[in-house]
C-alpha cells in the first residue's frame, strides 16, 4: 500500500472545466482565434496551455506567450472559482488522512493559484504540500512530479502513487517511475487512460 498519494487538481479533485475553457476562449480571441462553443475546448483541461497553443493551434512561441498571459489574467479574475469539488472527494481525503497517508497535490497549475483554490474549497487542510508549475524552471508535469518527490523526501518510489484524470498525468508518472490511478470521471476517457498505461482505473472517488 502506497504511503504517499499525489493528487492532480483539475479533473481529479475539482471540476474546473468551466473556468479553464472560458479563460482559454478569451485568450484565443486575443490572438484572433474564435472558438464560439467553450465545450469544444474541454481538451484544454489538463495539459499545459502553452503546449496546447503551440501544438494544437500551431501558434508561434511569442504569440503563445502573449495568449498565455491573457489566459492567466482572465482566469485569476473570472475563472478561478468557476469550479466545484467532485462529490465524494472530501470524504476520500478524510479517510486517507485518517489512515495515516501523506497527501500532496501535484498540478500543472501555478502553485499559488492551486493553493488559493484548495483553500477556497476547504481542501487545503488535507495536504502536506502543494506543488505546481513555476515557468520557466518547472513547467511540464514530469518536472512538477520530480520536484514534489524531492520535497517529500520519499524513501522509495514504489511507496508513491499518483491520481490523475488525463494521459498527461499517466505519462508524467511513467516518466518518473511511480504507480498511477486513472480517474475517468474527470476530463480524460477510460480509453485515454488505458492507452497511456494507468495501473488502475476507478470510476468514482
Amino acid at each position: 500500500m502506497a504511503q504517499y498519494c499525489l493528487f492532480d487538481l483539475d479533473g481529479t479533485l475539482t471540476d474546473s472545466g468551466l473556468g479553464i475553457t472560458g479563460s482559454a476562449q478569451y485568450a484565443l480571441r486575443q490572438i484572433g482565434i474564435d472558438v464560439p462553443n467553450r465545450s469544444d475546448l474541454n481538451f484544454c483541461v489538463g495539459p499545459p496551455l502553452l503546449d496546447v497553443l503551440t501544438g494544437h493551434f500551431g501558434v508561434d512561441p511569442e504569440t503563445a506567450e502573449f495568449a498565455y498571459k491573457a489566459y492567466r489574467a482572465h482566469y485569476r479574475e473570472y475563472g478561478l472559482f468557476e469550479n466545484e469539488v467532485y462529490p465524494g472527494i472530501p470524504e476520500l481525503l478524510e479517510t486517507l488522512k485518517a489512515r495515516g497517508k501523506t497527501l500532496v497535490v501535484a498540478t500543472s497549475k501555478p502553485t499559488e493559484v492551486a493553493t488559493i483554490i484548495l483553500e477556497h474549497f476547504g481542501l487545503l487542510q488535507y495536504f502536506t504540500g502543494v506543488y505546481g508549475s513555476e515557468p520557466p524552471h518547472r513547467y511540464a508535469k514530469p518536472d512538477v512530479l520530480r520536484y514534489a518527490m524531492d520535497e517529500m523526501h520519499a524513501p522509495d518510489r514504489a511507496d508513491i502513487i499518483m491520481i490523475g484524470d488525463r494521459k498527461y498525468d499517466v505519462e508524467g508518472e511513467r516518466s518518473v517511475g511511480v504507480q498511477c490511478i486513472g480517474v475517468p470521471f474527470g476530463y480524460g476517457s477510460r480509453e485515454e487512460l488505458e492507452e497511456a498505461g494507468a495501473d488502475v482505473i476507478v470510476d468514482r472517488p
Side-chain angles (χ1 to χ4, degrees):
M1 296 290 287
Q3 171 61 33
Y4 300 88
C5 302
L6 283 70
F7 283 86
D8 177 45
L9 178 55
D10 297 323
T12 301
L13 296 175
T14 69
D15 184 354
S16 53
L18 193 62
I20 290 174
T21 56
S23 295
Q25 185 183 50
Y26 169 82
L28 288 166
R29 283 178 180 156
Q30 306 314 300
I31 57 172
I33 300 173
D34 187 28
V35 183
N37 188 349
R38 68 163 63 182
S39 65
D40 291 336
L41 295 172
N42 279 344
F43 69 91
C44 293
V45 183
L49 187 63
L50 281 173
D51 291 350
V52 172
L53 291 165
T54 56
H56 183 85
F57 291 101
V59 304
D60 63 85
E62 185 177 349
T63 304
E65 185 64 34
F66 173 81
Y68 179 62
K69 288 179 179 177
Y71 167 85
R72 290 187 65 171
H74 188 277
Y75 187 77
R76 280 178 175 273
E77 186 169 357
Y78 300 106
L80 201 62
F81 302 127
E82 289 184 308
N83 201 345
E84 61 182 1
V85 179
Y86 283 114
I89 288 295
E91 293 83 358
L92 167 65
L93 299 176
E94 186 73 46
T95 298
L96 291 172
K97 197 77 172 176
R99 291 180 181 177
K101 302 300 181 182
T102 303
L103 311 182
V104 305
V105 171
T107 174
S108 294
K109 263 186 167 46
T111 304
E112 179 189 4
V113 173
T115 302
I116 291 170
I117 291 169
L118 291 165
E119 186 170 27
H120 175 79
F121 288 108
L123 300 181
L124 188 60
Q125 59 179 313
Y126 298 109
F127 297 101
T128 59
V130 180
Y131 307 108
S133 64
E134 300 293 343
H137 310 292
R138 191 167 69 248
Y139 174 64
K141 198 60 175 273
D143 298 330
V144 173
L145 292 174
R146 289 189 192 96
Y147 178 74
M149 289 188 292
D150 287 345
E151 290 295 302
M152 288 189 304
H153 304 293
D156 188 348
R157 291 193 178 187
D159 205 25
I160 301 170
I161 195 157
M162 173 83 193
I163 302 94
D165 70 309
R166 296 298 310 275
K167 65 180 181 180
Y168 311 99
D169 300 309
V170 180
E171 290 166 355
E173 292 138 15
R174 287 291 184 196
S175 74
V176 298
V178 300
Q179 304 171 81
C180 174
I181 294 177
V183 291
F185 58 76
Y187 284 82
S189 66
R190 174 175 284 271
E191 292 72 25
E192 175 183 317
L193 293 166
E194 286 176 346
E195 288 177 8
D199 294 295
V200 180
I201 299 175
V202 295
D203 294 311
R204 61 187 187 274

